[in-house]
Amino acid sequence: MNRLSMTALLLGAVTMVACKSAAPETYTQNRVVEDGGTGPYKAIMVEEPSLEAHTIFRPADLSKFGKNNPLPVLAWGNGACTNSPWEHQNFLSEIASHGFLVVAIGHWPAEGERYRGAMSTSEQQIEGIDWAIKQNSDRNSPYYGKLDVDNIAAAGMSCGGLQTLVNAADPRLKAIMICNSGSFIDPSGAVPNMPMPKKEDLMKIHTPVMYLLGGPSDIAYENGMDDFHRIDHVPAFAANFPVGHGGTYGQPHGGEFSVVATAWLEWQLKGDKEAGAMFLGNPCGLASRKDWTAEKKHID
């Protein structure tokens, strides 16, 4: 074979590799929540047929992600053990728009639908993590090689926070967020069939943990702050914003809660030092935001 033919063959091979398209999208439903979020990657909410009873929030354009810019993963649990993330759509979409894959427990909510069905389970949060790891290694998946499965966080609101505490020992986790929640000081106040992690189970936490609470009027405030005061073996942060148990999840772009939650995830899962400034220092950066109060341990 002469040099000209060899050059043409090599160029053809390069062209074939360059033109090879990514795996096609597999979702069965998708919707833009609000305007797709304020982050650099406009987000969508999708239903994936390979993961029953879960909803995915992710950047709409996955072509921007790969080996050098993978998406960290957040496994989310809903309030009231609801089997749909309808109440947290704005909040989760906002987080996704900053470059995260959010795998939320529960069925994809149609426009205006408040799907409640059967109560969700703690196991569903683990199912979401398992799915993300599998998708990242599946050449036929649109998520192939695009997820940062070495940087996974779990989080949840109210019942979802209890589900997160149940799963906090999972060695694949790098950080957790307990939102409007905490293990019960008095279990008699729990809703029947809710997860019931015990105070001694807090020792199973092996990652940095943030409690994101609604101040003294939050019905979970005492439980959450009691957890925080007991934890002394891992970095812990308690952030309070005086809005009560409902948080700011339904406000535009998830309100103040999404600002703090996103910063925590940017810092813990991406090593973003600018985001970390919200939690570092004395006083910490969060103290400069109106109405927020904060306590921390082993952070600086």
Side-chain angles (χ1 to χ4, degrees):
M1 183 179 293
N2 61 39
R3 183 177 297 177
L4 183 61
S5 298
M6 179 62 75
T7 301
L9 182 63
L10 291 173
L11 286 174
V14 170
T15 301
M16 286 178 65
V17 172
C19 292
K20 184 180 179 181
S21 60
E25 292 284 9
T26 51
Y27 57 71
T28 51
Q29 299 189 78
N30 78 93
R31 185 167 78 244
V32 175
V33 177
E34 297 187 286
D35 57 2
T38 67
Y41 312 103
K42 289 301 181 183
I44 55 174
M45 178 178 71
V46 305
E47 178 184 57
E48 290 286 358
S50 58
L51 183 60
E52 185 179 359
H54 288 77
T55 302
I56 311 300
F57 297 81
R58 39 150 276 203
D61 183 4
L62 293 178
S63 69
K64 297 179 180 180
F65 302 94
K67 181 178 180 180
N68 296 323
N69 184 31
L71 291 162
V73 177
L74 172 64
W76 174 262
N78 310 301
C81 302
T82 302
N83 212 357
S84 175
W86 66 269
E87 189 176 13
H88 309 291
Q89 293 176 63
N90 294 2
F91 174 79
L92 299 177
S93 175
E94 176 65 17
I95 290 173
S97 77
H98 289 269
F100 294 90
L101 179 89
V102 181
V103 186
I105 288 175
H107 299 277
W108 191 87
E111 191 77 53
E113 180 184 44
R114 298 185 177 188
Y115 184 95
R116 291 194 174 272
M119 292 177 72
S120 64
T121 67
S122 303
E123 288 76 17
Q124 284 174 268
Q125 198 172 45
I126 299 300
E127 289 171 6
I129 294 172
D130 292 343
W131 176 86
I133 293 172
K134 183 178 180 180
Q135 293 297 306
N136 190 60
S137 61
D138 183 354
R139 291 180 179 274
N140 296 315
S141 169
Y143 304 99
Y144 173 64
K146 297 181 182 295
L147 307 182
D148 187 354
V149 295
D150 292 324
N151 281 291
I152 299 173
M157 182 263 181
S158 195
C159 173
L162 297 174
Q163 291 171 336
T164 300
L165 287 171
V166 168
N167 295 323
D170 192 305
R172 298 171 296 182
L173 297 176
K174 289 298 179 67
I176 62 174
M177 294 191 302
I178 311 301
C179 308
N180 307 99
S181 190
S183 54
F184 282 91
I185 299 171
D186 179 7
S188 67
V191 173
N193 299 319
M194 262 189 171
M196 288 300 296
K198 299 177 181 178
K199 291 295 182 181
E200 50 264 37
D201 292 335
L202 296 172
M203 288 302 299
K204 297 178 181 179
I205 297 173
H206 64 94
T207 68
V209 53
M210 178 173 69
Y211 280 79
L212 188 58
L213 303 167
S217 64
D218 184 344
I219 60 172
Y221 174 80
E222 291 188 6
N223 292 332
M225 291 305 297
D226 183 70
D227 279 8
F228 171 76
H229 290 137
R230 289 170 183 257
I231 295 170
D232 200 36
H233 64 290
V234 295
F237 195 93
N240 271 281
F241 191 63
V243 289
H245 192 59
T248 66
Y249 307 101
Q251 293 181 14
H253 304 118
E256 281 289 308
F257 271 35
S258 73
V259 174
V260 178
T262 300
W264 178 256
L265 296 171
E266 293 270 18
W267 183 37
Q268 296 296 325
L269 303 186
K270 296 184 179 182
D272 188 318
K273 294 181 179 179
E274 184 176 347
M278 184 172 287
F279 310 97
L280 295 169
N282 188 21
C284 63
L286 182 59
S288 67
R289 294 189 71 88
K290 181 177 172 56
D291 294 330
W292 281 96
T293 56
E295 296 182 46
K296 58 182 175 175
K297 298 179 180 179
H298 310 302
I299 292 286
D300 293 297

